[in-house]
Amino acid sequence: MQFQGSFTIDRKENIHYNLFVSRNRLILMTVIVFAVITVMLGVTNYGQTHSLADAAVASLPMALAGSVLFLLINGVAMVMRVNQSYKQRQVYEFTQDILIDAEGVHASSERGSALLKWEKIEQIRESGRAFYLFLSKAQAYVLPKDQLKDKEKDAALIRSLFREHLDGAKLKIRR
């Protein structure tokens, strides 16, 4: 059993990848921002309300607004960083041909080819948009689902290949 496909990795895929890998850290930081604003404004409002509960409730709208602003600023900054990388030609669009078989994941592009043996893959994660094959925390191969010929059938085949060749602890994919 094997899968073969071709994927174009462009600016959009790069942005989705960066959002995917930074998601947990961004959520944690947003919760911290929310808590800090709530506490700071709660302490300030306590003198006016003389009730901690009332002070905390009064600070919630501003804490929520601050958290949303924090998310927006970080999202826009990330998109701008990716766009700047493309403008400076540090990153560029490329097409990769992928073959997944018993040996591992064969990838080839105009930059060359590589065989990612199954034991070299640290983790595979699936999002609604793509499969991410992590070789390290900073390096991953991206297989965008919207570029699969038959999205449902090919995604199921890819999942079954991953399950067949990798320990379940390395997989965070759909059933």
Side-chain angles (χ1 to χ4, degrees):
M1 184 165 53
Q2 68 180 27
F3 167 81
Q4 191 164 4
S6 185
F7 301 93
T8 300
I9 307 304
D10 59 11
R11 187 181 318 245
K12 176 183 79 166
E13 303 306 334
N14 206 318
I15 289 169
H16 290 298
Y17 167 76
N18 279 280
L19 285 172
F20 183 79
V21 297
S22 65
R23 179 183 58 198
N24 290 340
R25 186 180 64 231
L26 191 57
I27 289 170
L28 175 63
M29 293 304 297
T30 302
V31 169
I32 291 170
V33 165
F34 180 83
V36 167
I37 292 172
T38 301
V39 168
M40 288 176 61
L41 290 176
V43 168
T44 304
N45 291 336
Y46 179 68
Q48 298 168 357
T49 63
H50 299 294
S51 164
L52 283 176
D54 291 342
V57 169
S59 66
L60 289 179
M62 189 63 79
L64 183 60
S67 298
V68 169
L69 182 62
F70 176 80
L71 280 173
L72 286 172
I73 289 170
N74 277 283
V76 168
M78 190 273 304
V79 170
M80 289 175 63
R81 271 193 315 275
V82 169
N83 286 337
Q84 188 68 22
S85 295
Y86 276 91
K87 284 179 185 174
Q88 294 175 347
R89 299 200 184 272
Q90 295 169 333
V91 179
Y92 52 91
E93 180 179 312
F94 65 95
T95 299
Q96 63 183 3
D97 295 315
I98 297 290
L99 171 66
I100 304 172
D101 62 15
E103 264 190 295
V105 179
H106 306 262
S108 61
S109 70
E110 60 269 8
R111 292 191 249 178
S113 60
L115 168 59
L116 310 171
K117 294 193 177 217
W118 291 113
E119 59 270 8
K120 297 292 183 185
I121 298 174
E122 284 190 12
Q123 186 178 45
I124 296 179
R125 296 183 63 192
E126 180 180 1
S127 74
R129 297 181 180 273
F131 291 99
Y132 300 101
L133 289 67
F134 287 92
L135 305 176
S136 68
K137 287 187 178 195
Q139 184 182 12
Y141 280 77
V142 179
L143 309 179
K145 290 181 185 177
D146 64 352
Q147 295 180 34
L148 295 171
K149 289 178 184 171
D150 182 339
K151 187 175 177 182
E152 295 302 317
K153 182 181 169 192
D154 288 345
L157 174 60
I158 291 168
R159 284 185 205 103
S160 68
L161 284 163
F162 292 158
R163 284 189 191 101
E164 180 181 340
H165 296 289
L166 287 171
D167 178 26
K170 290 185 172 187
L171 299 175
K172 290 188 179 179
I173 59 176
R174 297 194 173 122
R175 297 273 169 227

